[in-house]
Amino acid sequence: MNLIDAPIVAETAYRHGVSVGDPTPTLDKLNRPLRDLRLSVIDQCNFRCTYCMPRDVFGADYPFLTSAQRLSFEQMVKLAKAFAQLGVEKIRITGGEPLLRRGLESLIEQLAKLTTLSGKPMELALTTNGSLLAAKARSLRDAGLGRVTVSLDAVDDAVFRRMSDVDIPVSRILEGIEAARAVGLAPIKVNAVVERGVNDSQILPLVRLFKGTGVAVRFIEFMDVGGAGGWSNTKVITARETREIVESEFPLVPIVIGQQMGTAVNYRHADGAGEVGFIASVSQPFCGSCSRARVSADGQLYSCLFATQGTDLRPWLTETASVEQLAVAVRSRWIQRDDRYSELRSTVRKPGSGKVYPTVRMSLVGG
Ligand code: SAM
Ligand code: SF4
Ligand code: SF4
């Protein structure tokens, strides 16, 4: 689609009865509402996690987005307003490494003023590798950030360095977590991707480290997304296997289903000293309840983490297009959505299935 016919599409969508501000949820073809927005603010990162941005692909000459190609904060706020009109209740800021985006606090300040359709404050969270968090936790909190999730795959420095492929010690990430806790960015979650033979030795040390601190550790199955070129089924440690490893030392009690939130299946330590979560994105997909839209730092809307192509929203991010027109464009795309890649993985990945993979880069859409 080009810039000229964009407003025509918006008008057409209106004519087909797609209206904005309607309190009924925006449902996709599988009846899933649009509730969460993952907003990527930058595609660059100071880490080179082997499962996400392997150094041989993301080298010095990698064509990252230029600052001119990235959306401005003004455009991101406009986006967030449009998504709020469509029923989004939570915005997660991500990247690449979002804390590399200069002046991020000013974006957060503006997003924190938004309300949901039901008049509640917009939930605002950030996912980060934690390396710059110690310096920024206070200003992020002051700007209005609600919660932070820190990715940390190991406690042991050697394993951490091997996985992140940078010369940063684990202590720096722990300082970031502590700073976030100290300023009240709570509850803090720590996400660890588990890759067989790489960091499975770190499952118990991670649980030991955070037990009783108020920080919930969540283990994520290694997924076959974008940058994960070396992915194979044999490298996936299932959530069930991970839980059995945790339970070999720490008795866990499942949290009642009705109290479960989001993608993780959460357990409590039997002695009450906190929670551990397991995200079974590969072995037990949760596509049926997937209410997430992702927008890359250059304004492409992705309806699934495994999408091969996005929808360009930039035609509606110009000064001449209104928030309402942008919302209509997003809604028109969402109501066409039928993605459920993780449920279809075994069929889709078969050689000769005709599908094109790898998918969009994780560092572009932000996980
Ligand atoms: N740089 C930030 C960070 O690491 O938290 C935000 C962006 S990162 C792409 C978001 C999340 O995606 C991280 O928790 C990371 O571990 C996860 N991730 C990246 N590649 C993955 C893969 N192949 N399988 C599972 N999770 C992955
Ligand atoms: Fe960077 Fe996060 Fe990807 Fe690691 S997972 S390379 S920290 S974007
Ligand atoms: Fe959602 Fe796509 Fe992941 Fe399924 S595979 S849970 S539709 S992002």
Side-chain angles (χ1 to χ4, degrees):
M1 182 187 311
N2 60 40
L3 289 168
I4 295 161
D5 61 15
I8 298 171
V9 170
E11 287 303 318
T12 310
Y14 265 124
R15 276 203 298 274
H16 284 83
V18 181
S19 61
V20 172
D22 181 345
T24 54
T26 307
L27 299 177
D28 70 7
K29 279 190 160 170
L30 303 177
N31 276 329
R32 297 168 297 187
L34 172 53
R35 290 271 179 262
D36 302 280
L37 170 63
R38 295 210 149 206
L39 184 58
S40 175
V41 293
I42 190 164
D43 64 336
Q44 294 179 40
C45 186
N46 55 341
F47 282 24
R48 285 293 177 272
C49 300
T50 49
Y51 54 76
C52 177
M53 298 180 75
R55 206 171 275 282
D56 56 340
V57 178
F58 294 86
D61 53 357
Y62 187 83
F64 287 107
L65 298 174
T66 61
S67 51
Q69 288 170 316
R70 291 196 298 253
L71 299 185
S72 65
F73 288 160
E74 200 183 351
Q75 288 172 311
M76 290 184 183
V77 173
K78 183 173 177 181
L79 261 172
K81 285 181 179 165
F83 277 90
Q85 285 190 1
L86 296 171
V88 159
E89 294 172 343
K90 178 174 159 192
I91 300 176
R92 180 170 290 277
I93 296 164
T94 179
E97 175 44 44
L99 297 185
L100 289 180
R101 179 84 191 235
R102 205 171 304 151
L104 186 68
E105 292 85 347
S106 101
L107 172 68
I108 290 174
E109 220 170 278
Q110 297 173 67
L111 296 181
K113 291 183 190 140
L114 299 182
T115 50
T116 66
L117 271 185
S118 58
K120 286 192 271 182
M122 181 67 73
E123 214 183 302
L124 212 52
L126 173 101
T127 300
T128 170
N129 63 30
S131 59
L132 304 168
L133 190 55
K136 292 192 175 252
R138 183 169 297 276
S139 57
L140 291 168
R141 194 274 323 264
D142 290 348
L145 183 67
R147 294 195 290 108
V148 66
T149 298
V150 180
S151 303
L152 177 64
D153 302 326
V155 172
D156 178 84
D157 264 326
V159 180
F160 179 72
R161 279 173 213 242
R162 214 165 32 243
M163 235 168 147
S164 58
D165 201 8
V166 283
D167 194 16
I168 290 177
V170 172
S171 58
R172 182 138 146 219
I173 317 306
L174 298 182
E175 281 159 23
I177 293 171
E178 178 47 30
R181 200 198 53 74
V183 300
L185 282 171
I188 299 172
K189 289 180 187 151
V190 162
N191 278 356
V193 175
V194 188
E195 201 178 332
R196 192 182 300 283
V198 180
N199 69 331
D200 33 348
S201 64
Q202 299 300 297
I203 296 169
L204 283 170
L206 279 163
V207 177
R208 269 181 222 131
L209 183 66
F210 291 109
K211 183 171 186 259
T213 63
V215 173
V217 183
R218 291 142 25 114
F219 295 101
I220 308 175
E221 289 178 355
F222 176 36
M223 290 186 285
D224 48 337
V225 269
W231 187 89
S232 89
N233 233 326
T234 57
K235 291 188 180 169
V236 179
I237 300 209
T238 63
R240 187 195 174 124
E241 255 180 293
T242 306
R243 178 168 54 78
E244 283 167 1
I245 294 172
V246 176
E247 286 183 315
S248 69
E249 185 172 325
F250 302 100
L252 298 176
V253 182
I255 294 178
V256 186
I257 294 294
Q259 296 168 12
Q260 298 280 1
M261 294 286 287
T263 51
V265 176
N266 295 310
Y267 286 70
R268 264 197 256 301
H269 282 288
D271 62 4
E275 289 181 16
V276 183
F278 303 91
I279 303 181
S281 18
V282 178
S283 65
Q284 283 181 291
F286 31 80
C287 300
S289 59
C290 182
S291 55
R292 290 179 178 175
R294 295 173 162 86
V295 177
S296 59
D298 60 345
Q300 307 294 309
L301 167 65
Y302 291 90
S303 56
C304 175
L305 196 49
F306 295 88
T308 46
Q309 222 187 329
T311 302
D312 191 359
L313 294 179
R314 286 173 302 182
W316 293 277
L317 289 166
T318 56
E319 278 173 17
T320 50
S322 67
V323 171
E324 285 69 27
Q325 284 173 317
L326 174 58
V328 168
V330 172
R331 186 166 181 159
S332 322
R333 174 64 192 91
W334 188 265
I335 60 175
Q336 294 302 321
R337 175 185 189 245
D338 61 359
D339 307 86
R340 52 188 192 105
Y341 172 85
S342 286
E343 288 181 351
L344 303 173
R345 177 178 277 108
S346 54
T347 354
V348 165
R349 284 192 73 88
K350 273 193 188 134
S353 67
K355 296 274 178 177
V356 183
Y357 288 96
T359 60
V360 62
R361 290 175 280 128
M362 190 75 146
S363 52
L364 187 67
V365 290

